[in-house]
Amino acid sequence: MQLTCFGEMLIDLLPTGDGSLNPIAGGAPANVAVGFAKLGGSARFVGGFAEDPFSLQLKSTLALYAVGTEYCVSISGAQTALAIVHLDAQGERSFSFYRDNTADIAIRPKDFEHLQWPDHGIFHFCSNTLTDAEVTSTTMALLKSAAAHNQLISFDVNLRLNLWQDLSCLSERIEACYPYVDILKMSKDELRYLAEEKNMREASYLDWLLSVGVQAVISSDGPNPCSVLTAKDFYSVASPTIDAVDTTGAGDSLMAGFLFQLSQHGISKDTLVQNFPTVKKALSFAVKCGAFTCEHKGVMPFMPTRIDVSERFSSFNPEALLG
């Protein structure tokens, strides 16, 4: 099963020991594509690129990891988005974004009219291409096209509130995606935020998600247990105990691992809920992928291979049920 990741690819400016900033390729959907490819899957990235020196670095990075770019679009006159990463003592990150007239939000539905979908594929996206009205229209067009072509659709909420021009639109735009989504990933904080915006308790919000068409909800909580919920089942698994260096790509690495495992078992939108034992194994594998990435500074170079996962966590019991 081929993975198609849509959204932003940008330059993360990562602090170094001497106080300087090291430019590295980043962006949540691009991270997932790279992670999926490094595990051995077939992945492609769909998005907009500027015509500046940073864009050359981004394209060469995707080529290095064998991520397809045949449907990427060059945007004349646009810039590459930048994100300054701030890390605290625990490796937790925050971001300052520079996203004015950038290629990732200048893409339009017409740019992807000729995109060909695989017969059996996965489509993954995040909320950072919902932050203004025009890029939202592009996202929704691709989302509806993916659904019409029976792709297994994965949505990582991945809220970055400082990217939104108008927070009053946030919940409405995110919720408009739900009827097309099969797998929804959110952190505990994101769940709390969205539930409060809808004046609902978190448990009621989860029930509502399942009622509008979402098949499986993955809930992450930093180093605490990660869970997956469907209308019929619930599973929670402990994450490996590690010394976190940089949590920037933890969720992206987790999603790459989860989607890769589903692809290896041929799980489609029609068989997802019925194959919950496979979903459980996928989440157990995914938390190890996320933990591996957190042990290093930087994301794409430290998205694990399958050998990395098996060697690093050979003694970790992935079936440690906690709920």
Side-chain angles (χ1 to χ4, degrees):
M1 295 177 69
Q2 185 179 53
L3 173 67
T4 301
C5 288
F6 164 71
E8 76 278 6
M9 190 175 190
L10 46 75
I11 290 291
D12 284 335
L13 296 171
L14 196 65
T16 64
D18 62 5
S20 61
L21 296 172
N22 180 32
I24 60 174
N31 287 339
V32 174
V34 168
F36 191 92
K38 289 184 72 173
L39 289 167
S42 172
R44 60 184 183 179
F45 177 75
V46 174
F49 285 106
E51 296 176 346
D52 60 15
F54 279 137
S55 70
L56 299 177
Q57 179 180 349
L58 299 181
K59 292 175 183 177
S60 64
T61 299
L62 292 176
L64 174 66
Y65 296 115
V67 173
T69 57
E70 60 269 29
Y71 291 107
C72 287
V73 180
S74 292
I75 307 294
S76 179
Q79 306 176 80
T80 298
L82 305 177
I84 298 179
V85 184
H86 310 277
L87 300 175
D88 65 17
Q90 287 72 46
E92 291 293 332
R93 77 278 188 257
S94 59
F95 301 90
S96 298
F97 291 99
Y98 295 83
R99 205 187 188 199
D100 182 37
N101 187 36
T102 55
D104 59 307
I105 56 175
I107 46 179
R108 299 294 177 257
K110 63 179 178 59
D111 294 324
F112 306 109
E113 290 176 345
H114 302 295
L115 189 149
Q116 298 293 312
W117 297 100
D119 291 336
H120 303 285
I122 304 170
F123 178 66
H124 178 77
F125 71 108
C126 303
S127 70
N128 293 334
T129 48
L130 299 171
T131 54
D132 69 48
E134 290 188 306
V135 76
T136 295
S137 67
T138 306
T139 303
M140 294 305 298
L142 275 170
L143 180 56
K144 292 175 182 179
S145 180
H149 288 84
N150 211 39
Q151 305 297 288
L152 179 67
I153 296 177
S154 166
F155 180 22
D156 184 352
V157 173
N158 196 37
L159 287 183
R160 299 288 180 262
L161 298 182
N162 53 346
L163 284 178
W164 287 76
Q165 297 178 356
D166 183 357
L167 285 174
S168 67
C169 300
L170 185 151
S171 293
E172 178 184 359
R173 290 178 184 169
I174 288 176
E175 291 168 6
C177 300
Y178 291 159
Y180 306 96
V181 170
D182 301 301
I183 300 163
L184 177 68
K185 187 261 182 187
M186 57 175 60
S187 69
K188 290 287 187 182
D189 290 340
E190 289 164 346
L191 170 59
R192 184 179 306 112
Y193 180 93
L194 291 169
E196 288 177 354
E197 287 293 298
K198 204 168 178 65
N199 295 314
M200 297 174 71
R201 294 180 180 272
E202 292 171 27
S204 298
Y205 192 82
L206 289 170
D207 289 339
W208 175 71
L209 287 171
L210 298 174
S211 75
V212 297
V214 177
Q215 296 197 59
V217 182
I218 297 173
S219 181
S220 62
D221 189 20
N224 300 314
C226 185
S227 64
V228 59
L229 173 72
T230 72
K232 298 180 179 180
D233 298 286
F234 174 81
Y235 176 71
S236 179
V237 62
S239 297
T241 300
I242 62 167
D243 292 323
V245 175
D246 179 4
T247 64
T248 302
D252 303 333
S253 189
L254 184 148
M255 286 308 296
F258 185 79
L259 296 176
F260 174 75
Q261 284 291 302
L262 295 186
S263 75
Q264 291 296 101
H265 292 86
I267 300 298
S268 69
K269 65 189 308 121
D270 299 320
T271 62
L272 179 66
V273 173
Q274 293 80 6
N275 284 275
F276 199 71
T278 300
V279 172
K280 290 167 59 176
K281 291 178 181 177
L283 188 64
S284 296
F285 178 80
V287 296
K288 292 185 281 188
C289 292
F292 183 91
T293 302
C294 286
E295 291 183 311
H296 306 85
K297 201 168 191 178
V299 181
M300 291 182 184
F302 299 107
M303 290 282 195
T305 65
R306 281 177 285 180
I307 293 175
D308 290 330
V309 173
S310 62
E311 289 183 349
R312 173 62 184 86
F313 300 112
S314 59
S315 61
F316 174 67
N317 177 14
E319 299 301 324
L321 291 177
L322 299 178

